[in-house]
Amino acid sequence: ITIITLTITMGTIMAMSSSNWLMAWIGLELNMLAILPVISKPKTMRASEATTKYFLTQTIASAMMLLASTTNAWQTGNWDILELKNKFSTTIMTLSLTMKMGAAPIHFWLPEVLQGTTLQTALLITTWQKLAPITLMYMVSKNIQPIILVSLGILSMIIGGLGGVNQTQLRKTMAYSSINNLGWTIMIMAFSPNMAIMNIFIYIIMTTPIFLMMTSTSMKTLQNMSTTWTTSMTTTFSIALLMLSTSGLPPFTGFMPKMLILNELITQKLTMLATLAIMTSLISLFFYLRITYLIMMLTSPMTTPSLTKWRTQNQKSQLMTMMIPTALFIAHLIPAIPS
């Protein structure tokens, strides 16, 4: 486990810090090969399928990346990341990076892979695995045609919003949420790359606690979510607030990057694009509000046939909860014991 963790970390850092396309490619390959055993760890058919899908998509993206960098080196005689001048190479590189991070139109692998893995691995894929491709896109953003980035961004926002509407599995919902947020990041990358980096980091900060709380309560479906208030009110309340924050609803943290992005678009005289972005964010707001409604405002059925998920993983906290009243009872009895 230590070797795998070190390889994943080293691969990402190598890809993010390199100035040469070959070194960045090697870093991404190291990262991809190290995470495959992590995805296939559950030893189920779904996990094997998810691993195969992840491997194939990432390999195709790596091949496209190598094609783009080789073509650029052939035309310009330079392997430098900042010197990606050839238009064909730039377009192919943009598509390969969007494929690696799971943005539309090559997003089909992301919901399936997340559904086939554990919640901890899903957290890793939706957060850490996006850092290297987004950093590389940030480095070449000045050479990419704005129309390509805007088109990919708007498409990701629409697909991320519509895809999450009819989902009952939380991991797939979070996958479409990731696609939707990547749409905002890619769209603003054309006009303000620094703002795009800020947006993705705020998204990672909001997504991490959601996945951690889902892991601690074994929450995988909307039905599980509607019964969490019986076991942990604090977790229920926190997830609801984090979901609203991720949707970009004011006055939560997630509203700030969206507001700054819209402000930048209006400053650039792109009012129609800003309006379209707001309309697509309303679609994703629907499924976030549905989740919040299920958690906070819906009482789960109390009849015998209802499938309540009993959670016994966190035995330490249960033991402590049982010990506290016992200790208080003993402390209460001590003065009554005759000396």
Side-chain angles (χ1 to χ4, degrees), residues 137-151:
M137 185 177 277
Y138 172 82
M139 293 168 77
V140 299
S141 58
K142 289 179 182 176
N143 300 324
I144 304 173
Q145 291 174 306
I147 186 67
I148 295 173
L149 289 174
V150 169
S151 303

Side-chain angles (χ1 to χ4, degrees), residues 37 39 43 52 61-62 68 70 79 103 126 137 212 280 288 315 324:
I39 300 172
K43 300 294 183 292
T52 309
S62 294
T70 309
W79 285 94
T126 49
M137 185 177 277
L212 291 176
T280 53
Y288 285 118
Q315 293 178 352
I324 288 166

Side-chain angles (χ1 to χ4, degrees), residues 6 43 56 71 73 109 137 140 149 158 182 214 238 257 275 314:
L6 281 172
K43 300 294 183 292
L56 289 173
T71 310
W109 63 272
M137 185 177 277
V140 299
L149 289 174
I158 293 169
L182 281 172
M214 281 165 60
S238 302
T275 310
N314 198 356

Side-chain angles (χ1 to χ4, degrees), residues 34-327:
I35 204 173
L36 291 177
V38 180
I39 300 172
S40 61
K41 192 183 175 186
K43 300 294 183 292
T44 58
M45 288 292 288
R46 269 189 175 279
S48 303
E49 184 185 339
T51 311
T52 309
K53 284 177 179 174
Y54 187 83
F55 174 72
L56 289 173
T57 49
Q58 296 297 313
T59 307
I60 293 166
S62 294
M64 288 169 67
M65 185 177 172
L66 206 57
L67 169 68
S69 55
T70 309
T71 310
N72 184 69
W74 187 25
Q75 293 288 330
T76 62
N78 201 335
W79 285 94
D80 197 329
I81 289 177
L82 299 173
E83 296 297 321
L84 195 71
K85 303 291 185 186
N86 189 11
K87 279 190 177 181
F88 171 77
S89 300
T90 309
T91 309
I92 297 294
M93 184 62 73
T94 308
L95 287 173
S96 76
L97 291 174
T98 51
M99 191 174 183
K100 274 202 170 289
M101 65 179 84
I106 321 169
H107 65 282
F108 301 103
W109 63 272
L110 187 61
E112 297 298 323
V113 169
L114 290 201
Q115 187 58 30
T117 60
T118 60
L119 286 164
Q120 294 96 324
T121 313
L123 168 63
L124 189 66
I125 292 169
T126 49
T127 54
W128 182 260
Q129 293 298 98
K130 290 188 176 11
L131 293 179
I134 284 174
T135 307
L136 290 171
M137 185 177 277
Y138 172 82
M139 293 168 77
V140 299
S141 58
K142 289 179 182 176
N143 300 324
I144 304 173
Q145 291 174 306
I147 186 67
I148 295 173
L149 289 174
V150 169
S151 303
L152 291 173
I154 290 292
L155 191 61
S156 295
M157 288 159 69
I158 293 169
I159 288 171
L162 292 174
V165 166
N166 205 27
Q167 296 297 331
T168 55
Q169 298 290 328
L170 286 177
R171 280 169 291 183
K172 281 193 175 181
T173 306
M174 293 307 292
Y176 283 109
S177 162
S178 172
I179 293 165
N180 179 268
N181 190 270
L182 281 172
W184 283 86
T185 306
I186 293 169
M187 180 183 68
I188 198 61
M189 189 78 78
F191 311 105
S192 177
N194 293 334
M195 203 174 286
I197 296 295
M198 181 201 67
N199 181 59
I200 198 69
F201 270 106
I202 288 176
Y203 172 75
I204 288 170
I205 290 165
M206 290 186 299
T207 306
T208 305
I210 293 175
F211 270 107
L212 291 176
M213 282 188 278
M214 281 165 60
T215 307
S216 67
T217 54
S218 303
M219 200 188 295
K220 291 178 182 175
T221 63
L222 290 179
Q223 186 190 13
N224 299 157
M225 204 168 235
S226 65
T227 60
T228 46
W229 65 273
T230 56
T231 54
S232 176
M233 277 297 291
T234 313
T235 304
T236 305
F237 191 65
S238 302
I239 288 182
L241 291 181
L242 283 164
M243 286 288 182
L244 290 175
S245 181
T246 313
S247 69
L249 202 68
F252 300 104
T253 313
F255 173 66
M256 183 188 67
K258 284 185 169 59
M259 184 187 70
L260 292 172
I261 288 169
L262 292 172
N263 182 53
E264 180 66 26
L265 290 175
I266 292 165
T267 308
Q268 299 275 356
K269 302 289 190 295
L270 296 165
T271 315
M272 285 301 293
L273 186 59
T275 310
L276 187 59
I278 292 167
M279 296 303 288
T280 53
S281 71
L282 287 174
I283 305 169
S284 61
L285 179 64
F286 168 74
F287 68 80
Y288 285 118
L289 284 173
R290 184 179 66 163
I291 292 170
T292 310
Y293 172 74
L294 275 174
I295 297 177
M296 301 291 292
M297 303 176 71
L298 197 67
T299 309
S300 60
M302 291 300 179
T303 54
T304 311
S306 68
L307 297 171
T308 306
K309 194 165 187 176
W310 296 99
R311 301 177 182 89
T312 56
Q313 284 89 349
N314 198 356
Q315 293 178 352
K316 284 185 182 177
S317 62
Q318 288 180 354
L319 188 64
M320 288 298 293
T321 312
M322 290 167 64
M323 284 171 68
I324 288 166
T326 312

